[in-house]
Amino acid sequence: MRKYAASRYPHELDYDWAAIPYNRIAIVNLLLSANPGARYLEIGCASNQLFDAVMAKDKIGVDPVSGGTHRQTSDEFFAGNGERRFDVVFIDGLHVYGQVRRDLVNALAAVRAGGWVALHDMLPRDWVEEHVPQISTSRWTGDGWKVAFELLNGRDLDFRIVAADHGVGVVKVLGDNPGIPDLSAGLEPLRFRDFHRRLPELPVVDFVAGKAWIEAHLG
């Protein structure tokens, strides 16, 4: 990986995801648990590992390649969504900051007040997992973590990152006009070394604390 010398960084996070007995399926179903009639939207379905396990009768899955119910890009889906609103939106599409940010902005416009938006792959463990463009076929979170710093300054939002399953960002929509500031000029150049240095700024919690926080906001 000599050509990636400028990106290399010696430190890493020691999360062992396989040893943590909770994943995004548990988190999404918890978000849905207080509303049996909830409407669910998933961006990026792939093999339907999550989508098929989601306990919602009214659910839409969007993926341009496989899985879900709609074979189109997330941009295409949101452009044609109209006034339809969702109770829970899960974002797991293309793992690059620009697309993750666009999906988040569109999701916030499509979720009802009191609903939830969740994002996968928010805790890269090393520079290889985080690198954009992707250089590992076996593990890649990309740099979607950058939206976490915009969420910290969001409007009508509360936010945590649950340290399970590669990091699941969970956003509670508190009002009718949720939004995030555009910090892309400062965030775009950042790399894993910056994420590692600034990680203490983020509201990362373990599953037990995350579950308690979610349950306090259900209803």
Side-chain angles (χ1 to χ4, degrees):
M1 294 189 180
R2 182 176 297 178
K3 70 176 181 177
Y4 300 115
S7 300
R8 294 179 68 89
Y9 185 69
H11 302 294
E12 60 184 46
L13 304 181
D14 61 357
Y15 290 118
D16 180 1
W17 302 128
I20 298 174
Y22 306 101
N23 59 17
R24 58 193 182 280
I25 296 172
I27 293 171
V28 170
N29 281 323
L30 178 60
L31 298 178
L32 292 162
S33 62
N35 185 358
R39 176 176 287 170
Y40 172 74
L41 171 64
E42 183 171 318
I43 301 299
C45 301
S47 64
N48 278 347
Q49 182 180 4
L50 171 61
F51 189 74
D52 286 348
V54 169
M55 298 176 66
K57 293 181 179 179
D58 187 352
K59 57 184 180 179
I60 292 174
V62 178
D63 194 296
V65 178
S66 63
T69 58
H70 288 53
R71 192 66 64 243
Q72 57 187 157
T73 68
S74 55
D75 292 337
E76 292 167 341
F77 173 81
F78 283 119
N81 183 57
E83 297 300 315
R84 182 167 41 182
R85 293 293 177 263
F86 299 90
D87 299 284
V88 176
V89 180
F90 189 85
I91 298 171
D92 193 15
L94 183 62
H95 301 333
V96 298
Y97 166 57
Q99 185 63 58
V100 174
R101 187 183 194 283
R102 200 153 60 244
D103 287 340
L104 175 58
V105 169
N106 285 329
L108 290 174
V111 73
R112 68 170 181 83
W116 303 86
V117 177
L119 307 96
H120 197 212
D121 297 300
M122 296 294 284
L123 292 175
R125 294 175 295 184
D126 58 36
W127 73 272
V128 174
E129 283 191 352
E130 192 270 350
H131 197 275
V132 176
Q134 182 179 2
I135 57 178
S136 171
T137 57
S138 61
R139 53 194 180 101
W140 188 48
T141 63
D143 64 348
W145 59 268
K146 295 172 183 176
V147 301
F149 290 95
E150 294 173 315
L151 284 164
L152 283 178
N153 297 282
R155 180 182 63 251
D156 283 346
L157 303 173
D158 197 2
F159 168 58
R160 299 291 187 276
I161 298 176
V162 180
D165 198 356
H166 306 279
V168 180
V170 182
V171 183
K172 177 67 174 180
V173 177
L174 301 174
D176 294 317
N177 189 32
I180 56 173
D182 185 356
L183 306 180
S184 56
L187 291 169
E188 188 64 51
L190 301 186
R191 291 269 59 93
F192 178 77
R193 66 180 66 245
D194 304 291
F195 170 77
H196 189 269
R197 175 176 57 85
R198 296 186 62 181
L199 182 60
E201 300 175 35
L202 298 178
V204 179
V205 296
D206 63 19
F207 182 83
V208 173
K211 179 175 181 288
W213 174 77
I214 291 169
E215 290 176 334
H217 287 80
L218 287 174

